[in-house]
Structure formats: structure tokens, C-alpha cells
Amino acid sequence: MSEKLVIGKELKVKYNGIFDLPDLYRKMKFWLEWNGYGPEKGMEKQYTERIKPNGKQIEIKWVATDEASSYVHKVLEVTFLVIGLESIEIEKEGKKIKTKKGDVEMRFTGYLVLNAGNAMGDDLSYKNWIYKKFILKRNIETYKIDMYDDLTDFQDEAKGYLTMQQF
Amino acid sequence: MIKKVYKVLPGTGIRIKKAGIFDFDGLYKDMKSWFIEHEYLFHEKEHTEKDLSHGREILMKWYAEREIDDYAKFRIDIFFFVEKFTRLDKKAKAELKITYFASVELDYKNNWQKNPLYKFLFFIYNNYIIKGRILTNYEPKLKNDLREIAKGYLE
């Protein structure tokens, strides 16, 4: 069985104001693809749209995997919850532009999956034990740092798009 | 009595208020760098921004953890509440409230939480055997880290 090593769990980014959801969606998806996370199809586990009296409500969940090696996979999970999304018109440089306004909450989780797909047999197998104890031990810190960097960069990408404070 | 999570600051934490013009970008980036340089694992647990009529409102919750040895781990939580935030060239004008919380988590690997006997031994160990180490080693070290953060970026 594979083992999950959580690096960061449910880190929230919330924004209330004007934003272009389709553009945010595209930018975030592009970041994942550019950084080797996939698969392009099947990454989206949920997409729900509801019409509510105060505007549209949208829920999206992505689970994106980077197969860092046959033994270690890096996984980024993100959920979007958009509420009260309504169309508005703003004036920019003398021109009227149609855009959207609402509340968006994104939750980011990043973890490593060890022995992904039981590459080294089950947990009790000697192959898995030897691999974990002697070979992976040297590299696991690098994978953890990589995962941490990806998680914070991905979180920063969303904040940057929403003109929020970034690191 | 020393519990599993030993708080080194009062329950309500330490609060710092600042209003006026200051380098918010610098404060934001440098504080994170400080944690990374001092081997803390840093996370921004929550980041909320709202555009209001009197300026932007920002709420941030950070936590950072550092494993001191196999038994103890430091944890620092920082909450930022920024009101009336407006950008002025490279600086920002705002009202800033920062609250710090700090604690030492003992037996963070949960080796002594398996059954009531282990838990009893854990209690004896913390309150009689290594109490001195906790009070004279861990606590001042963590307080010193907090002092550095506050001194470097807020004074």
C-alpha cells in the first residue's frame, strides 16, 4: 500500500472583489501543466455550478500529480469555492468592460505519495523496506523541499492573479 | 504543570499595533525569509483580502514549526490584521495589528501517547526529570526567536 506524507494541508486563500474566473481557472491550470502536474484530462474531479438568489455558486476540485519517480509522486490538490458571483460592468481607461464580482476561496493541499502504485510491493515487503531505509532516505528531503516549493509557488500564483500580497 | 503543548506566551498572545506608512512588502517577505533561514517550516495557513470602501482589508494566519530535537518542536503562530490598506509607491499606508503565539510541543512524534502508563511516564518525565531543560533551554530559545522577529521587522 502506498504511504501519504502531507507537506501542507488546506492552506486557504480568500478574496472578495472583482475577478475574472475563467482567466483565473486558465492561469492556474497552465501553472500545473507547466510545472509537470497532470494528467490534463481527469485532473478535474468536481465541477459544480448552482444558481442561487445572491449569484452563482461554483465548486471545483483538482487533483494533480507529478510522477517525480516511479516510487515518489507529488500531488497538489486545490478546491475552489466561488460564491455570490455576479456580472458587473466597470469602467477602465474610458471603456466599459464586463467582468465578475464575488467571493472566492481556494484551499491548497500538497503531499508526497511514497511507494506509488505499489512499485516496491506492499509495505511489509523487504524490497520496500530496503528502498525506504537506504535509498530513499537520501532523497526524501529533496522531494519534501520540492513539494513545499511547488505548494507555495502555486498558492502565490493564485494570490498574484488576484493582486494579493505575494512572497 | 507542563503539558504536551507548553505555551511560552500568555493565552491571548502578544499584540503589536502599528499605523501609518511602512514597507509592508519588506515586512511580508523578510519575515518569511527569517523563518526559512532559521530552519522553520513555514506555512501561510490563511490569506484573505477584501476590497472595502475605506481601503483593502487583509487577514493572514501564519504558522511555522521547527524540530529542535527528537522530542521537542517549536511552533510560532502569527496573525496579521491589516485595515485601510492603500499602496503608496513602494510603501503602504495601513493600520496593522499583529498577534503572536508561541509554544513548545513535547513528544511531537507521539511515542509516549500510546496508553495511560506511557502518558503517566510522559507526565513524570516532563514535570520532574526534564522540567529544568524545558524552562531554561527550550523556553528562552523560543522567546529569543520571537524577540528577533519583532525586533528586526517591527521596531
Side-chain angles (χ1 to χ4, degrees), chain A residues 4-164:
Chain A
K4 209 167 153 179
L5 198 64
V6 179
I7 305 297
K9 198 178 175 187
E10 302 259 317
L11 308 176
K12 285 185 217 165
V13 172
K14 290 188 203 170
Y15 177 77
N16 171 275
I18 296 165
F19 64 97
D20 184 355
L21 183 67
D23 206 26
L24 171 70
Y25 182 98
R26 272 194 296 271
K27 285 246 162 67
M28 302 281 284
K29 207 156 194 180
F30 178 74
W31 187 97
L32 288 170
E33 283 162 22
W34 184 257
N35 288 281
Y37 285 87
E40 200 186 331
K41 284 177 187 168
M43 184 199 292
E44 193 161 280
K45 302 292 176 199
Q46 186 195 355
Y47 188 101
T48 316
E49 262 192 47
R50 291 187 184 99
I51 309 288
K52 299 260 177 173
N54 61 341
K56 245 186 208 175
Q57 182 179 315
I58 301 170
E59 288 160 49
I60 305 166
K61 185 178 182 176
W62 293 343
V63 180
T65 309
D66 174 8
E67 295 177 7
S69 75
S70 56
Y71 190 83
V72 182
H73 288 183
K74 295 190 288 177
V75 182
L76 272 175
E77 279 187 19
V78 59
T79 53
F80 295 74
L81 175 65
V82 182
I83 48 173
L85 191 70
E86 50 183 7
S87 297
I88 54 155
E89 244 182 23
I90 55 162
E91 211 172 283
K92 202 177 177 185
E93 290 158 7
K95 285 179 186 171
K96 281 191 175 176
I97 303 168
K98 279 187 178 172
T99 184
K100 300 260 196 281
K101 189 183 169 222
D103 276 355
V104 59
E105 180 179 315
M106 285 170 269
R107 289 177 186 216
F108 300 87
T109 299
Y111 55 89
L112 295 175
V113 179
L114 307 182
N115 194 16
N118 289 344
M120 289 286 167
D122 59 33
D123 274 355
L124 300 171
S125 79
Y126 72 94
K127 257 194 335 187
N128 185 36
W129 185 81
I130 290 171
Y131 191 80
K132 251 171 98 173
K133 201 88 183 158
F134 301 103
I135 301 167
L136 186 69
K137 203 179 172 187
R138 276 176 281 160
N139 301 327
I140 193 74
E141 286 308 312
T142 316
Y143 284 122
K144 279 186 190 172
I145 294 166
D146 270 3
M147 184 74 251
Y148 176 78
D149 287 345
D150 283 357
L151 181 65
T152 47
D153 284 356
F154 192 43
Q155 200 186 358
D156 247 17
E157 182 76 11
K159 286 195 285 179
Y161 183 78
L162 297 166
T163 66
M164 292 164 89

Side-chain angles (χ1 to χ4, degrees), chain B residues 3 12 22 27 37 46 80 88 92 95 97 102 130 147:
Chain B
K3 292 181 180 169
T12 50
F22 53 93
L27 168 81
E37 278 164 22
E46 192 174 327
F80 288 79
L88 302 167
E95 285 179 19
K97 284 174 204 153
I130 63 153
R147 210 168 291 128

Side-chain angles (χ1 to χ4, degrees), chain B residues 23-39:
Chain B
D23 180 11
F24 190 68
D25 286 346
L27 168 81
Y28 190 74
K29 285 178 184 157
D30 292 351
M31 271 177 102
K32 185 193 173 188
S33 303
W34 185 93
F35 282 116
I36 305 289
E37 278 164 22
H38 289 77
E39 294 173 348

Side-chain angles (χ1 to χ4, degrees), chain B residues 11 15 19 22 33 44 78 83 118 140 152:
Chain B
R15 287 183 195 157
F22 53 93
S33 303
E44 189 170 55
I78 306 179
E83 283 181 297
Y118 273 39

